[in-house]
Amino acid sequence: MAYQPSPTAAGSSLPPLSRPQLAEARRVRAVELFEGGVSNAEIARTVGVCAESVRRWRRVLMRLPGQEA
């Protein structure tokens, strides 16, 4: 299932998210799933990106000081 904004946000008077904001929301959700032990393939399906993007995000995250993904 691809990333879907919450129903409360969709019906609110807030402006829609920009493309960079949506991309960041996907990355944030991916990190939450990394921390939950979810596989790269499942994360890719959940947030609606290719598995290579998830692998790249995980590699970058692992290079940050004090991070373990």
Side-chain angles (χ1 to χ4, degrees), residues 5-59:
S6 68
T8 56
S12 74
S13 62
L14 296 173
L17 295 176
S18 66
R19 288 182 72 179
Q21 290 170 322
L22 286 172
E24 182 63 14
R26 287 186 190 101
R27 288 188 291 269
V28 167
R29 181 66 180 132
V31 169
E32 292 169 350
L33 295 169
F34 292 156
E35 293 170 349
V38 178
S39 72
N40 288 355
E42 183 62 29
I43 293 170
R45 282 189 294 273
T46 300
V47 301
V49 298
C50 68
E52 179 56 35
S53 292
V54 176
R55 285 190 291 272
R56 185 175 58 247
W57 297 341
R58 193 181 292 262
R59 277 194 311 268

